[in-house]
């Protein structure tokens, strides 16, 4: 369903309005770019990366996505959107509107962001598991030491 007035900042096509995993989202039928509230980003990335999170290699290369050009006008309020690097990285540059707190992402950018999100979550999981193993080993050493001292004293 098209929403009157909302047009793709890349090609001027009317944006289709819908939801994805419960989050409101406008999608361009021509270029597959997406426009949504900034606060929806994490939810969208979780949904998009869910299937690859447990299998993506930690060293999976994320290629730089050449931005198609900044200075876009926000489809909602027409303010000039600013470019910034997703995860403070210059591999993926996304357009954000400070005025109305919406984001425009090109299709390739959203795919790349999903890969980065999955890889970072997998890395965080691996670090958490390693910390738990280290803590268990420390506990085992303390237990062994206490048993050894009890045997010596006994």
């Amino acid at each position: 369903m098209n929403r009157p007035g909302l047009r793709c900042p890349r090609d001027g096509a009317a944006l289709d309005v819908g939801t994805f995993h419960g989050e409101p989202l406008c999608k361009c039928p021509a270029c597959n770019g997406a426009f949504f509230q900034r606060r929806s980003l994490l939810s969208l990335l979780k949904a998009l990366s869910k299937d690859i999170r447990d299998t993506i290699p930690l060293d999976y290369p994320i290629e730089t996505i050449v931005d198609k050009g900044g200075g876009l006008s926000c489809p909602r309020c027409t303010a000039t959107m600013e470019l910034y690097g997703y995860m403070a990285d210059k591999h993926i540059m996304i357009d954000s509107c400070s005025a109305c707190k919406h984001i425009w992402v090109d299709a390739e950018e959203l795919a790349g962001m999903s890969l980065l999100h999955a890889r970072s979550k997998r890395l965080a999981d691996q670090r958490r598991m390693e910390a738990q193993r280290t803590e268990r080993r420390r506990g085992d050493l303390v237990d062994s030491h206490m048993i050894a001292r009890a045997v010596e004293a006994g």
Side-chain angles (χ1 to χ4, degrees), residues 127-145:
R127 286 180 179 158
R128 189 172 31 261
M129 288 182 345
E130 183 59 35
Q132 289 170 348
R133 281 193 294 268
T134 299
E135 191 59 36
R136 280 195 299 272
R137 281 190 293 247
R138 280 190 202 134
D140 291 345
L141 287 173
V142 169
D143 289 347
S144 296
H145 182 70

Side-chain angles (χ1 to χ4, degrees), residues 13-152:
L15 297 177
D16 292 334
V17 177
T19 59
F20 182 76
H21 286 268
E23 296 292 339
L25 177 95
C26 298
K27 183 179 165 284
C28 177
C31 71
N32 290 318
F35 182 67
F36 50 89
Q37 293 177 354
R38 207 181 296 163
R39 69 176 183 228
S40 300
L41 180 60
L42 185 57
S43 251
L44 294 169
L45 291 176
K46 281 180 182 178
L48 289 167
S49 64
K50 180 181 72 164
D51 293 336
I52 59 172
R53 179 178 171 177
D54 295 332
T55 59
I56 190 169
L58 294 174
D59 60 350
Y60 188 85
I62 306 295
E63 295 181 23
T64 298
I65 297 170
V66 178
D67 191 72
K68 296 176 181 172
L72 299 178
S73 292
C74 175
R76 186 167 182 255
C77 71
T78 70
T80 300
M81 299 178 88
E82 298 110 23
L83 275 177
Y84 72 92
Y86 174 67
M87 294 180 84
D89 191 301
K90 301 259 184 214
H91 279 80
I92 302 170
M93 301 298 289
I94 59 178
D95 301 273
S96 177
C97 180
S98 296
C100 70
K101 311 280 189 268
H102 277 67
I103 294 175
W104 172 265
V105 291
D106 298 314
E108 301 84 16
E109 294 167 345
L110 193 55
M113 290 164 62
S114 298
L115 290 172
L116 271 171
H117 180 78
R119 191 176 72 179
S120 68
K121 289 301 178 189
R122 176 124 191 243
L123 182 59
D125 289 347
Q126 181 182 8
R127 286 180 179 158
R128 189 172 31 261
M129 288 182 345
E130 183 59 35
Q132 289 170 348
R133 281 193 294 268
T134 299
E135 191 59 36
R136 280 195 299 272
R137 281 190 293 247
R138 280 190 202 134
D140 291 345
L141 287 173
V142 169
D143 289 347
S144 296
H145 182 70
M146 291 175 69
I147 290 170
R149 292 196 76 183
V151 169
E152 287 174 6

Side-chain angles (χ1 to χ4, degrees), residues 2-17:
N2 288 347
R3 180 174 174 186
L6 286 184
R7 299 223 163 258
C8 175
R10 292 274 180 228
D11 57 38
L15 297 177
D16 292 334
V17 177

